[in-house]
Amino acid sequence: MATLIRAKQVIDGTGAPAIAGGVVLVDGERIVQVGKRSEVTAPSGTEVIDLGGWTVLPGLIDMHGHLAKNAMGNEDEQLRQPDAALALQATRHARICLASGVTTMRTVGEIHFIDVAYKRALAEGTMVGPRVLIATRPLVATGGYGVFSGFVAADGPEEIRKVARANIKAGADLIKIFTSGGGAYTARTNPLQHYYSREEIRAAVEVAHAHARKVSAHAIGGLGARYAIEAGVDTIEHGHFLTDEELDLMAERGSVLVSTMTLHLYPGIDWSAYPTLQEYRALVESVAGRSVRKAKARGVTYTMGTDSMHGLMWFEVGCAVRHGGLSPMEAITAATRTAAEVCGLGRDTGTLEAGKWADLIAVSDDPLEDIGALSSLRFVMQAGRRYDPKALVEHLA
Ligand SMILES: [Zn+2]
C-alpha cells in the first residue's frame, strides 16, 4: 500500500532548497515521488501520514561506526568481554543508532566477525538497526594502534593480502587499515606514528580494488596519512592533523575525508577516569574542524561519522557546522547524499528522490535554522518501514 508523508518542509538531500509544504509518496520499500503537495497525486486508498510542522529529510548515514563497542565507556575493557556479551551490546547499539535517525552505517572494524552476523540477522529480519556496509576485521600492524581490541596483526604485503582476502571471503564490503597511531584509552599510541610502509598499504589497496571494495584508513596524520593517500586509499578517517600538502594530494587523488569530532567535543562524557585520553582529547579539540575547513576550501569530498558515539550523529553533523564551517544544508548533504555516494549506494539512498529506498526521518524543529534541531527526531522510516524512535529504545539503559 502507498503512503503519503506530509510535512512543513522536505529537505531532499541533494542540496536543493527545502520544499515548503513538501510531500513524499512511498510505495513499499521505495519512494515514488517527492514534491509540493499540489504536484504529487496519490492513488486512492493511500495512507496519509501528516507530520504537521515537522521537517522531513533523508535518513542519516554514519560513515564510521563500530557496533560492538561504545566510545562513551572504556573501549579496551569492553572489547575484552566474551563474544556473546559483545554481540548483545551490538544489538543494543544498533537500536540506539536507528532511533537517532541513522538508517545506514559503515562499520569500520569489529572483532569476531560480529558485523557479519549482524548483517545476516538484518537480512533475515530477526534484528532491527541501520543497514550496514561492513569491514569485518581491520588490518593492524604488530605493535600498532588497534591491536589492543583483539584484532589479529598482519605484517608485510603477503600477510596483508591474506587477511584482506579472508575478510572479503567472510563478507567484507570494504577493507579497513590502521595506518597511524591513535589516542584511545590504555592502548594509547602516538597518534602521528605510522605503522605500515607504503608497499604494505598498497597491498591492501590492490586486493580491495581488485574485488571492487574500497579501503578506509584510520589516519590521524603524519606519514601514516601521507602513505595512505599516496597508496590510493579511498577514505581517510579522522584526519585531524592532515597538512595542506596532504589535503592537496587528497583533492588531486579524489580521496575522501571522514571526520569524527563527536568523541572529542561532546560535552556529556565524564573523562576523569581516562587520564591518558584527556591530553589527546584536548589536542584534537584545539584543531577541531581545521581539516574540514581546509577540505572544503580545496574541494576535497567530506563526510562524517560518530566513531561509536551511538545516537549522536546529530551532534557530528552539528560539529561540521560549528567547527567545519559548513552551512546546515551543506552538512546535511554531507551526511546523506555524499555519504551514500562514497558508500557506492548513491542509486538507492542518500536523497529523497523517485526510485530510491524510502529512508527518511522527521524532526520537529528546523535544522536549517539551528542544526541542533536534528536531535528533535520524531519519526524514522527505513526502506518504507516505519519506526517510532522512542519505542525502539524503550526499556534500554
Ligand atoms: Zn573508529
Side-chain angles (χ1 to χ4, degrees), residues 64-66 69 75 108-109 176 178 218 237-238 260 307-308:
H64 190 116
H66 306 275
K69 66 171 186 163
E75 302 178 344
V108 285
K176 168 75 179 290
F178 281 79
H218 163 104
E237 314 289 318
H238 318 299
T260 56
D307 205 357
S308 57

Side-chain angles (χ1 to χ4, degrees), residues 218-256:
H218 163 104
I220 307 288
L223 280 180
R226 172 162 303 235
Y227 289 172
I229 300 161
E230 286 175 357
V233 155
D234 302 280
T235 60
I236 298 292
E237 314 289 318
H238 318 299
H240 304 299
F241 297 100
L242 290 169
T243 64
D244 289 1
E245 297 78 61
E246 284 150 12
L247 283 154
D248 286 341
L249 194 59
M250 286 176 73
E252 202 185 302
R253 311 277 317 239
S255 348
V256 174

Side-chain angles (χ1 to χ4, degrees), residues 254-326:
S255 348
V256 174
L257 174 64
V258 178
S259 185
T260 56
M261 289 186 248
T262 302
L263 177 62
H264 304 279
L265 300 174
Y266 186 65
I269 312 174
D270 175 13
W271 295 103
S272 56
Y274 314 113
T276 58
L277 189 58
Q278 286 177 42
E279 188 193 330
Y280 173 64
R281 191 175 160 251
L283 187 65
V284 175
E285 205 176 319
S286 69
V287 298
R290 190 178 72 182
S291 292
V292 176
R293 292 191 298 274
K294 290 185 172 190
K296 182 181 169 176
R298 286 164 173 79
V300 172
T301 303
Y302 157 74
T303 177
M304 67 198 98
T306 61
D307 205 357
S308 57
M309 294 286 283
H310 304 296
L312 291 176
M313 193 58 196
W314 64 270
F315 188 85
E316 187 66 35
V317 182
C319 288
V321 173
R322 287 187 298 276
H323 302 281
L326 274 70

